[in-house]
Amino acid sequence: MWALTVAAIYLVPFVVIGWAAKRVIDRYMHGSHLSDVHDLAGDKRRSRKMFLLGSWRDEP
């Protein structure tokens, strides 16, 4: 039982800090989609096949 108490003392602060940071970031940071950024930059890229994590995919 003592091991669970010690584990909780060590792990709970990290979980709480991570949760609080996520809440703050979600509240104050409003991002854009990558396609919006490409459109603003005027980046006209062609479609291509890419290998990612063991499978092939088409990247628009």
Side-chain angles (χ1 to χ4, degrees):
M1 194 60 161
W2 182 249
L4 290 176
T5 303
V6 171
I9 289 170
Y10 282 126
L11 295 177
V12 168
F14 289 107
V15 171
V16 170
I17 290 169
W19 176 79
K22 183 181 181 331
R23 298 283 296 181
V24 168
I25 289 170
D26 286 345
R27 182 172 181 172
Y28 292 111
M29 302 294 256
H30 301 285
S32 298
H33 291 283
L34 185 58
S35 61
D36 296 335
V37 174
H38 283 286
D39 290 341
L40 286 174
D43 188 12
K44 301 296 181 201
R45 300 181 317 157
R46 62 180 173 83
S47 181
R48 61 184 178 172
K49 284 186 105 48
M50 296 194 62
F51 189 75
L52 179 66
L53 298 176
S55 64
W56 286 95
R57 68 180 188 95
D58 291 326
E59 183 182 76

